[in-house]
Amino acid sequence: MDLSDIAALARPSDSKVVLLVLDGLGGVPIEPGGATELEAAATPHLDALVRTGTCGLHVPVAPGVTPGSGPGHLALFGYDPLRYRTGRGVLAALGIGFDLRSGDVAARGNFCTLDGSGSVSDRRAGRIPSDESAPLVELLDNIEIDGADVFVQQVKEHRFLLVLRPDEPLGDAVADTDPGQVGLPAAEVRALDEASRPTVRLVRDWLDRAAAALAGQPKANGVLLRGFSRLPGWPSFEEVFGMRALGVAAYPMYRGVARLVGMETVEVDEDPQSLVAELERRFDQFDFFFLHYKAPDKAGEDGDFDRKVQVIEAADSVVPRILEAGPDVVLVTGDHSTPALLRNHSWHPVPFLLSGGAGRADASQSFGETACASGALGTVRGCDLMRLVAARAGRLSKYGA
Amino acid sequence: MDLSDIAALARPSDSKVVLLVLDGLGGVPIEPGGATELEAAATPHLDALVRTGTCGLHVPVAPGVTPGSGPGHLALFGYDPLRYRTGRGVLAALGIGFDLRSGDVAARGNFCTLDGSGSVSDRRAGRIPSDESAPLVELLDNIEIDGADVFVQQVKEHRFLLVLRPDEPLGDAVADTDPGQVGLPAAEVRALDEASRPTVRLVRDWLDRAAAALAGQPKANGVLLRGFSRLPGWPSFEEVFGMRALGVAAYPMYRGVARLVGMETVEVDEDPQSLVAELERRFDQFDFFFLHYKAPDKAGEDGDFDRKVQVIEAADSVVPRILEAGPDVVLVTGDHSTPALLRNHSWHPVPFLLSGGAGRADASQSFGETACASGALGTVRGCDLMRLVAARAGRLSKYGA
């Protein structure tokens, strides 16, 4: 179903919605037949919501596909991540909290090593540490060119963000300069459509000055650029669902993806109490609250099953306070699975619970992957969830007469 | 999700995968509430895999749609059969093991009976038996025309395969000559695009000579052609999933559909031991092994419930030998259901089990339709399975940042 179809159904309401994202929530057992992290956690408050609400599993992208954080959150916001795709440049900007504006052209940059003949001998400049790359980023950030403001910001190690803010609107269809392998020179920067020819002239000008600035550096004497992209012109979350939305997150990446769909955002501390405090403070000003809790994903990526259990329990402990704020509908889920066993994001479907509004109960007595697999809502696509949420919040009218 | 999206995520690995297809595996109970063939079978080894692995049901084409062998297998190979369609001519060539090459134009032929006025009085020439049609096929195969090599091979009874191997590349957009009903003459052969006009000239030339060769035959004195088609230019299985693949099957149809996606193939005997022997022999040379076991489908089409039970048990008995070969991931399923009750392929979802790699357990204790209906993987599309397999085999990287 297209976002425009949803927008046509959206109707006003005073209802309030909380989306609590426990990042990387889904897990797998360490031993076959054992409990997952969520199943091992004592979550009395979430279990109580499951008993009065409904649960299920969601697939963020497609069966078998492991989602990045961007696609995982877009799905939760109702945007099909296979249709709503963002360039690497934009994602890099979001990831470090750069205030990307409409019209900015962003690219992901790598420092690289060029040999005497100008060929790339290391595409990551020996993974130069961040403290060595920081002064080089500053050198690049000081470059000025005619026709655009240019911003260069450090990402990490050999990675940086390049943003052109052109005086006139320009295209972003610019081919990567990364040759993808060593032994070749960087590819010529090249326009893929007519509107991007002036962009290429600006990038070429900048690259010449960057080459001069880095000449003589032992490792990072060149740069490679890829993923040229602008903020996409997607319909905003408010345009689609008719809800004024606030994104509350400690990490820039998650505020960035919330801003990508037009949410307002606010930075808070990492603990779950801080999320709820912000919910309480702004409850009257917004209709939809995206609360992002990073800790389960970090514990999963560290391979720390027990810590993931603990931080899920910490999230559970703030559920009563969330309910006291008085939301009409609460959706608790993750943007993807991050099993401690795999130390990484994974493709496994993500448990969710939906509480408030009219719905059927299921047999599930507690919040966990196995219970959700036989939940009343079954297994749905991640981008279906927001429609279910909006329906329960009384915000979608009938389709057809 | 497009195959090109999957190819972009595929990453190298040393992992090995076995896809064991028990053709026509799915069944239905003879009496409501009874066991299916698979449920009635004693399958201790498959049951053990279900207890440590995950199961579910797959829908090869779409709910309610009964798949042919081609679409059923394409789905298992990860190709959505609603998007990846093959012409009847190509399928006929695959079905009889004809070595169809890129550029060949294939068509399905029928012998027909023409009355004195040249109208079709029987579209199947009285279903002329194979021993009567064989010499007529030979007559047709001896016809030579300018501009192409022509091959005619018997399929069965009134059916044959016509293949043009043109000297120059030609189109395959040629309309069927079968009028679809009796009392009308065969339709004029006619091009549906510019590139297929020369093809039509060749076909017309061949049809004139065929008419002359068959003149005077009592029943089969004419031919009707349909389903003109060439091998499709699809991305190969190896291009999509990054795995060198071997198809092992006793019947030409299944080796044909494996070759259609670029697999190497090998012919073996019909018993399941022969499949495994080939797996053992070639284990180091390939990453993916498609093992095709025909017997359950044949028993189902014969309406022989008990024999279908027995041949499923025979497949179960070779499972330990498959596991000893050392694959990382094993998928056991069918290409469609063939319930003995219906004596035919059917639309019922097909049970599958997925073993190896990280995954959640489900409550299922044995391999069967009812257990799979509440399996942890739920009901998925057939073409989703290969992504799940590739994910478990560690062969797919993250989608988006």
Side-chain angles (χ1 to χ4, degrees), chain B residues 255-275:
Chain B
R255 296 194 301 276
V257 71
R259 280 199 304 274
L260 196 59
V261 299
M263 293 188 193
E264 274 193 42
T265 59
V266 58
E267 182 176 354
V268 292
D269 289 339
E270 289 198 42
D271 59 291
Q273 285 80 7
S274 298
L275 296 170

Side-chain angles (χ1 to χ4, degrees), chain B residues 2-23:
Chain B
D2 292 345
L3 294 182
S4 59
D5 289 325
I6 303 173
L9 299 180
R11 67 177 176 201
S13 164
D14 295 330
S15 57
K16 305 271 189 186
V17 172
V18 168
L19 163 62
L20 174 61
V21 175
L22 310 184
D23 199 307

Side-chain angles (χ1 to χ4, degrees), chain A residues 41-213:
Chain A
T43 54
H45 306 299
L46 292 169
D47 295 350
L49 285 186
V50 165
R51 286 195 290 273
T52 55
T54 312
C55 64
L57 294 171
H58 80 86
V59 175
V61 179
V65 173
T66 296
S69 297
H73 278 88
L74 285 177
L76 291 180
F77 299 158
Y79 293 66
D80 181 349
L82 288 171
R83 292 183 58 181
Y84 293 89
R85 302 187 184 210
T86 40
R88 273 172 177 272
V90 168
L91 281 176
L94 299 179
I96 62 167
F98 182 87
D99 178 24
L100 202 65
R101 302 189 192 161
S102 166
D104 288 355
V105 177
R108 251 284 304 272
N110 271 11
F111 288 107
C112 68
T113 311
L114 303 174
D115 65 19
S117 72
S119 289
V120 177
S121 59
D122 187 326
R123 291 171 56 234
R124 297 181 187 85
R127 293 194 183 271
I128 178 176
S130 297
D131 58 348
E132 285 183 40
S133 59
L136 304 179
V137 166
E138 209 176 313
L139 274 181
L140 296 184
D141 193 37
N142 287 333
I143 293 172
E144 296 195 352
I145 60 172
D146 288 336
D149 289 336
V150 185
F151 307 87
V152 180
Q153 290 199 2
Q154 185 160 36
V155 174
K156 203 177 166 188
E157 298 170 345
H158 55 283
R159 293 184 285 265
F160 62 86
L161 167 73
L162 169 70
V163 176
L164 305 181
R165 185 164 293 163
D167 301 342
E168 311 276 338
L170 300 180
D172 64 352
V174 177
D176 295 351
T177 74
D178 187 338
Q181 58 185 91
V182 296
L184 296 173
E188 267 298 298
V189 59
R190 176 167 69 79
L192 302 172
D193 67 15
E194 201 54 43
S196 304
R197 286 177 186 276
T199 320
V200 162
R201 282 193 290 273
L202 297 178
V203 174
R204 209 171 268 152
D205 191 6
W206 183 85
L207 279 171
D208 289 344
R209 290 162 204 249

